[in-house]
Amino acid sequence: MASIIILLHLPPLTITILTVFLKIQTTYSSPQAPLILPLISQTLPHGFVSVPTPSSRKLSFHHNVTLTVSLTVGTPPQTVTMVLDTGSELSWLHCKKNQNINSIFNPQLSSSYTPTPCTSTVCTTRTRDFPIPVSCDPRKLCHATVSYADLTSIEGNLATDTFSISGSGQPGIIFGCMDSGFSSNAKEDSKTTGLMGMNRGSLSFVTQMGFPKFSYCISGHDASGVLLFGDAKLTWLGPLKYTPLVKMNTPLPYFDRVAYTVRLMGIRVGSKPLQVPKSIFAPDHTGAGQTMVDSGTQFTFLLGSVYTALKNEFLEQTKGVLTLLEDPNFVFEGAMDLCFRVRGGVVPTVPAVTMVFEGAEMGVSGERLLYRVGDDVAKGKDVYCFTFGNSDLLGIEAYVIGHHHQQNVWMEFDLVNSRVGFADTRCELASRRLGMGP
C-alpha cells in the first residue's frame, strides 16, 4: 500500500483516553510510495509532511490544542476535518447539523454510505470490548456511544463509506456517524467535523487502511505539520531512537491494551534524576499507571506522586530564576498548578526535563516546558505554566505524553515491529523538504 502524508491541525486541550480491550489480528500490506497529508493547528495542533515521491499523496495539518487533518468522505466526496488522535480507536463524524456544529458529513448525499445493522459481525464481534457496549436502535442499526476523560460524549450509528486521502479512495471504512452528544469545549469542537482514531484497535483508521506505520511532525514555529502514512526513506532525517511498545495479554480494568503504551523508566531535571521508586513507573496489578503516547492530549500528565516530585525538583532548581505565581486558586486546564510570572514575556533559561524510556529519551526545554497562558485566562498578566500536569486531578490513572512535548520531534508509530521512534528535527523544514511548506 502506498504511504500517505497529511497535514495536521491542533485544537485546545482535549484529553482523549478510551479504555478499549480488543484482540487484534491484523495483516499489514507491504509499503510502496508514501502518502503525505498536511496537519493544521488553530491554537492546538502542528503539522508535518513526508518526502513526496511521484506516487505520493499529500495532506497538511494545523495545530493549536488539537492536531487536525483534512480529507474527503463519501460519493461524491465531502471534505471533512478530523482531529488526529492516537489515543482513540473509533473514527467518527458529526452527521447532524445543530447550532454548535459548523461542519458535518451528510450521509444522505453519499451513494456509498452504508449503515451497519445490529446483526453484522462488526456490531456483534468487533465492538465487543467497547467501554460502553453498543446497542440496537429502533431501526435495527448498530448504535455506539463514545466517551472521553474530559467528559465529552457522543453517540450515533456505525456505518461504512469511502475515505479518500490525496485522491486515493478506500471503500468500506467503518466509522461512527454521530447525531447527538455533549462537548466540554463546544467552541473548539465546532471547528472540526470529527475525530480520526489512530490507536492499535481493529477499528482504528490506520488498522483499517492496512498501513504498517505512520509518522507525524508538529511544528513549534507555527500551527502546521505533516502526517505520513506508510514508509519513506528520508535521508535528511537523523536516526530515530526507538522504544518498544508494552503489550498486555491479560485484560486489566485500567489498562488500555490498544494504546501506544511505552515503558517510562525515570525523569531527570537537568542532570538530576527524580528520587522516586522505579516501581512507580510500572502499571500495577489493575493496569493503572501505564504510559501512553497520545496526540489527542495537549500536555503531558504524570501520576500524582511523580508529578509532585518533579514539581518540587523544578522549583528547587529554578529558585531566583523564576517568580512563582502566588495564587493557590489558579490551576491551568484543571491539572497544572505550577505557574510563574514572567515579566516582559522573556522566559529565562531553565533546566530541561528529560523523560527516560526503554532505549530512548525525550528532552523537554524552552517553549515546550513553559506555556504562555492566554490573556483571557491570565487577565493581562504574563503567566507561564509548567507543561507537566497532575493526572490525579483529571481522574486519569495513567501517564500521558501529549502532543505539546512532541513539537519539533519526528514521531514514528511502527505497528509491524511494535515500537515508537522519535528524532529531534525542525518540523517546518521537514514540511518544506516534503514539498508541503512555503
Side-chain angles (χ1 to χ4, degrees):
M1 177 172 292
S3 32
I4 300 177
I5 299 176
I6 302 175
L7 290 183
L8 299 178
H9 158 265
L10 298 177
L13 177 63
T14 304
I15 301 166
T16 312
I17 301 176
L18 290 179
T19 306
V20 181
F21 306 124
L22 294 176
K23 183 176 181 180
I24 309 170
Q25 292 182 327
T26 304
T27 301
Y28 297 102
S29 53
S30 59
Q32 297 174 11
L35 295 174
I36 302 172
L37 298 172
L39 293 173
I40 299 174
S41 5
Q42 295 168 351
T43 297
L44 310 145
H46 295 63
F48 59 88
V49 183
S50 147
V51 184
T53 65
S55 56
S56 315
R57 288 166 278 166
K58 297 185 269 184
L59 293 177
S60 59
F61 74 74
H62 296 299
H63 74 271
N64 194 317
V65 175
T66 59
L67 299 172
T68 63
V69 298
S70 293
L71 59 157
T72 63
V73 179
T75 308
Q78 300 176 43
T79 300
V80 299
T81 301
M82 305 179 77
V83 174
L84 183 76
D85 188 4
T86 60
S88 292
E89 179 180 11
L90 181 67
S91 299
W92 55 262
L93 296 169
H94 290 295
C95 291
K96 184 177 181 180
K97 187 75 174 177
N98 65 45
Q99 60 182 1
N100 296 320
I101 303 298
N102 296 323
S103 174
I104 69 165
F105 168 74
N106 188 339
Q108 295 180 341
L109 299 180
S110 174
S111 61
S112 50
Y113 175 85
T114 305
T116 302
C118 302
T119 54
S120 73
T121 55
V122 168
C123 192
T124 59
T125 303
R126 296 177 71 180
T127 64
R128 179 179 298 163
D129 296 310
F130 276 18
I132 302 175
V134 296
S135 59
C136 201
D137 76 2
R139 295 177 297 165
K140 306 297 183 183
L141 299 179
C142 191
H143 188 84
T145 301
V146 179
S147 62
Y148 300 93
D150 64 353
L151 302 182
T152 292
S153 65
I154 192 160
E155 58 185 285
N157 292 326
L158 295 188
T160 62
D161 211 329
T162 299
F163 280 61
S164 299
I165 296 176
S166 299
S168 177
Q170 178 70 34
I173 295 296
I174 302 161
F175 71 105
C177 194
M178 305 310 210
D179 55 18
S180 63
F182 166 78
S183 173
S184 63
N185 195 332
K187 181 180 178 181
E188 285 304 325
D189 288 347
S190 68
K191 299 176 182 179
T192 60
T193 320
L195 179 141
M196 180 184 287
M198 293 285 286
N199 72 10
R200 298 186 300 121
S202 69
L203 290 182
S204 79
F205 184 78
V206 67
T207 300
Q208 291 191 68
M209 291 291 287
F211 288 108
K213 67 173 63 172
F214 67 94
S215 307
Y216 57 73
C217 199
I218 302 169
S219 171
H221 177 69
D222 55 22
S224 66
V226 62
L227 169 63
L228 166 67
F229 283 107
D231 205 358
K233 304 301 180 185
L234 309 179
T235 56
W236 45 264
L237 183 65
L240 272 65
K241 300 168 288 186
Y242 288 98
T243 185
L245 292 174
V246 176
K247 295 184 178 180
M248 182 71 68
N249 295 323
T250 304
L252 297 174
Y254 296 108
F255 193 95
D256 183 348
R257 293 197 292 163
V258 291
Y260 295 103
T261 300
V262 295
R263 185 169 287 109
L264 181 63
M265 303 181 71
I267 297 176
R268 294 195 308 268
V269 180
S271 59
K272 185 176 180 181
L274 294 187
Q275 300 302 304
V276 295
K278 290 190 178 298
S279 60
I280 195 66
F281 295 109
D284 64 17
H285 66 284
T286 69
Q290 73 184 113
T291 300
M292 298 179 282
V293 182
D294 184 11
S295 68
T297 298
Q298 186 178 10
F299 299 111
T300 293
F301 297 90
L302 309 173
L303 292 186
S305 58
V306 176
Y307 170 74
T308 299
L310 175 59
K311 173 182 175 180
N312 292 339
E313 183 59 35
F314 188 78
L315 282 171
E316 180 65 27
Q317 294 193 30
T318 56
K319 279 182 179 178
V321 177
L322 292 172
T323 302
L324 190 65
L325 179 67
E326 300 288 354
D327 184 351
N329 296 318
F330 189 90
V331 180
F332 182 55
E333 299 290 5
M336 304 163 75
D337 60 359
L338 181 55
C339 299
F340 304 91
R341 291 287 303 276
V342 179
R343 300 188 185 281
V346 179
V347 179
T349 301
V350 296
V353 174
T354 302
M355 291 176 282
V356 181
F357 304 102
E358 180 182 352
E361 296 185 354
M362 179 181 286
V364 180
S365 60
E367 294 180 357
R368 291 194 295 159
L369 193 54
L370 294 173
Y371 181 86
R372 188 179 188 281
V373 177
D375 290 339
D376 56 331
V377 177
K379 303 188 185 306
K381 301 175 183 178
D382 289 324
V383 176
Y384 285 73
C385 290
F386 194 50
T387 53
F388 287 84
N390 186 346
S391 63
D392 291 3
L393 297 180
L394 297 173
I396 301 172
E397 293 291 328
Y399 300 91
V400 183
I401 313 300
H403 66 70
H404 186 74
H405 289 167
Q406 300 171 41
Q407 291 180 10
N408 283 324
V409 178
W410 185 272
M411 300 290 300
E412 177 186 282
F413 297 79
D414 186 341
L415 287 79
V416 171
N417 296 302
S418 297
R419 62 184 185 173
V420 175
F422 42 88
D424 293 334
T425 190
R426 291 274 302 280
C427 289
E428 67 272 17
L429 295 181
S431 293
R432 293 174 195 162
R433 287 187 174 112
L434 293 168
M436 306 202 69

Coordinates of all heavy atoms in Angstrom, one line a residue, residues 275-308:
Q275 N 14.1 11.4 42.6 CA 14.3 10.3 43.7 C 12.9 9.7 44.0 O 12.3 10.0 45.0 CB 15.0 10.9 44.9 CG 16.3 11.5 44.6 CD 17.3 10.5 44.0 OE1 17.5 9.5 44.6 NE2 17.9 10.8 42.9
V276 N 12.5 8.8 43.1 CA 11.2 8.1 43.3 C 11.5 6.6 43.0 O 12.4 6.3 42.3 CB 10.1 8.7 42.4 CG1 9.7 10.1 42.8 CG2 10.5 8.5 40.9
P277 N 10.7 5.7 43.6 CA 10.9 4.3 43.4 C 10.7 4.0 41.9 O 9.7 4.5 41.3 CB 9.8 3.6 44.2 CG 9.5 4.7 45.2 CD 9.6 6.0 44.6
K278 N 11.5 3.2 41.3 CA 11.3 2.8 39.9 C 10.0 2.1 39.6 O 9.4 2.2 38.5 CB 12.5 2.0 39.4 CG 13.8 2.7 39.3 CD 14.9 1.9 38.6 CE 16.2 2.6 38.5 NZ 16.0 3.9 37.7
S279 N 9.5 1.4 40.7 CA 8.2 0.7 40.5 C 7.0 1.6 40.3 O 6.0 1.2 39.7 CB 8.0 -0.1 41.8 OG 7.9 0.7 42.9
I280 N 7.2 2.9 40.6 CA 6.1 3.8 40.4 C 5.8 4.1 38.9 O 4.7 4.5 38.6 CB 6.4 5.2 41.1 CG1 5.1 6.0 41.3 CG2 7.4 6.0 40.3 CD1 4.1 5.4 42.2
F281 N 6.7 3.8 38.1 CA 6.5 4.0 36.6 C 5.9 2.8 35.9 O 5.6 2.8 34.7 CB 7.9 4.3 36.0 CG 8.4 5.6 36.4 CD1 9.6 5.7 37.2 CD2 7.9 6.8 36.1 CE1 10.1 6.9 37.6 CE2 8.4 8.0 36.5 CZ 9.5 8.1 37.3
A282 N 5.7 1.7 36.6 CA 5.2 0.5 36.0 C 3.7 0.3 36.4 O 3.3 0.7 37.5 CB 6.0 -0.8 36.5
P283 N 2.9 -0.2 35.5 CA 1.5 -0.4 35.8 C 1.3 -1.4 37.0 O 2.1 -2.3 37.2 CB 0.9 -1.1 34.5 CG 1.8 -0.7 33.5 CD 3.2 -0.6 34.1
D284 N 0.3 -1.1 37.8 CA 0.1 -2.0 39.0 C -0.8 -3.2 38.6 O -1.1 -3.4 37.4 CB -0.5 -1.3 40.2 CG -1.9 -0.7 39.9 OD1 -2.5 -1.1 38.9 OD2 -2.4 0.2 40.6
H285 N -1.2 -4.0 39.5 CA -2.0 -5.2 39.2 C -3.3 -4.9 38.6 O -4.0 -5.8 38.0 CB -2.2 -6.0 40.5 CG -3.1 -5.3 41.5 ND1 -2.7 -4.3 42.3 CD2 -4.4 -5.5 41.9 CE1 -3.7 -3.9 43.1 NE2 -4.7 -4.6 42.8
T286 N -3.8 -3.7 38.6 CA -5.1 -3.3 38.0 C -4.9 -2.8 36.6 O -5.8 -2.5 35.8 CB -5.9 -2.3 38.8 OG1 -5.2 -1.0 38.8 CG2 -6.0 -2.7 40.3
G287 N -3.6 -2.5 36.2 CA -3.3 -1.9 35.0 C -3.1 -0.4 35.1 O -2.7 0.3 34.1
A288 N -3.4 0.2 36.2 CA -3.2 1.7 36.4 C -1.8 2.0 36.4 O -0.9 1.3 36.9 CB -3.9 2.1 37.7
G289 N -1.4 3.1 35.7 CA 0.0 3.6 35.7 C 0.7 3.3 34.4 O 1.9 3.4 34.3
Q290 N -0.1 2.9 33.3 CA 0.6 2.8 32.0 C 1.0 4.1 31.5 O 0.4 5.2 31.8 CB -0.3 2.0 31.1 CG -1.5 2.8 30.5 CD -2.4 2.0 29.6 OE1 -3.6 1.8 30.0 NE2 -1.9 1.6 28.5
T291 N 2.0 4.1 30.6 CA 2.4 5.4 29.9 C 2.0 5.4 28.5 O 2.4 4.5 27.7 CB 3.9 5.5 30.0 OG1 4.3 5.6 31.4 CG2 4.4 6.8 29.3
M292 N 1.2 6.3 28.0 CA 0.6 6.3 26.7 C 1.1 7.6 25.9 O 1.1 8.7 26.5 CB -0.9 6.3 26.7 CG -1.5 5.1 27.4 SD -3.3 5.1 27.5 CE -3.6 6.2 28.9
V293 N 1.4 7.4 24.6 CA 1.7 8.5 23.7 C 0.4 8.8 23.0 O -0.2 8.0 22.3 CB 2.8 8.1 22.7 CG1 3.1 9.2 21.8 CG2 4.0 7.5 23.4
D294 N 0.0 10.1 23.3 CA -1.4 10.4 22.8 C -1.4 11.8 22.1 O -1.2 12.8 22.7 CB -2.3 10.5 24.1 CG -3.8 10.8 23.7 OD1 -4.1 10.7 22.5 OD2 -4.6 11.1 24.6
S295 N -1.7 11.8 20.8 CA -1.7 13.0 20.1 C -3.0 13.8 20.3 O -3.1 15.0 20.0 CB -1.6 12.7 18.6 OG -2.8 12.1 18.1
G296 N -4.0 13.2 21.0 CA -5.2 13.9 21.3 C -5.2 14.6 22.6 O -6.2 15.3 22.9
T297 N -4.1 14.6 23.3 CA -4.0 15.3 24.6 C -2.9 16.4 24.4 O -1.9 16.1 23.8 CB -3.6 14.4 25.7 OG1 -4.6 13.4 25.9 CG2 -3.4 15.2 27.0
Q298 N -3.1 17.6 24.8 CA -2.2 18.7 24.6 C -0.9 18.6 25.4 O 0.2 18.5 24.8 CB -2.8 20.0 24.8 CG -1.9 21.2 24.4 CD -2.5 22.6 24.6 OE1 -3.6 22.7 25.2 NE2 -1.9 23.6 24.1
F299 N -1.0 18.5 26.7 CA 0.1 18.5 27.6 C 0.4 17.1 28.1 O -0.3 16.1 27.7 CB -0.1 19.5 28.7 CG -0.2 20.9 28.2 CD1 -1.5 21.6 28.4 CD2 0.8 21.6 27.6 CE1 -1.6 22.8 27.9 CE2 0.7 22.9 27.1 CZ -0.6 23.5 27.3
T300 N 1.4 17.0 28.9 CA 1.8 15.7 29.5 C 1.4 15.6 31.0 O 1.6 16.6 31.7 CB 3.4 15.5 29.4 OG1 3.7 15.4 28.0 CG2 3.8 14.2 30.1
F301 N 0.8 14.5 31.3 CA 0.3 14.3 32.7 C 1.0 13.1 33.4 O 1.2 12.0 32.7 CB -1.2 14.1 32.7 CG -1.9 15.4 32.1 CD1 -2.1 15.5 30.8 CD2 -2.2 16.4 33.0 CE1 -2.7 16.7 30.3 CE2 -2.8 17.6 32.5 CZ -3.0 17.7 31.1
L302 N 1.3 13.3 34.6 CA 2.0 12.3 35.4 C 1.2 11.9 36.6 O 0.4 12.8 37.2 CB 3.4 12.8 35.9 CG 4.3 13.4 34.8 CD1 5.5 14.0 35.5 CD2 4.7 12.4 33.8
L303 N 1.3 10.7 37.1 CA 0.6 10.3 38.4 C 1.1 11.2 39.5 O 2.2 11.7 39.5 CB 1.0 8.9 38.7 CG 0.4 7.8 37.8 CD1 0.7 6.4 38.4 CD2 -1.1 7.9 37.6
G304 N 0.2 11.4 40.5 CA 0.4 12.5 41.5 C 1.7 12.5 42.2 O 2.4 13.5 42.3
S305 N 2.2 11.3 42.6 CA 3.4 11.3 43.4 C 4.6 11.7 42.6 O 5.6 12.3 43.0 CB 3.6 9.9 44.0 OG 3.7 8.9 43.0
V306 N 4.7 11.2 41.3 CA 5.8 11.6 40.4 C 5.7 13.1 40.0 O 6.7 13.8 40.0 CB 5.7 10.7 39.1 CG1 6.8 11.1 38.2 CG2 5.9 9.3 39.5
Y307 N 4.4 13.5 39.8 CA 4.3 15.0 39.5 C 4.8 15.8 40.6 O 5.5 16.8 40.4 CB 2.8 15.3 39.2 CG 2.6 16.8 39.1 CD1 3.0 17.5 37.9 CD2 2.0 17.5 40.1 CE1 2.8 18.9 37.9 CE2 1.8 18.8 40.0 CZ 2.2 19.5 38.9 OH 2.0 20.9 38.8
T308 N 4.4 15.5 41.8 CA 4.9 16.3 43.0 C 6.4 16.3 43.1 O 7.0 17.3 43.4 CB 4.2 15.7 44.3 OG1 2.8 15.8 44.2 CG2 4.7 16.5 45.5

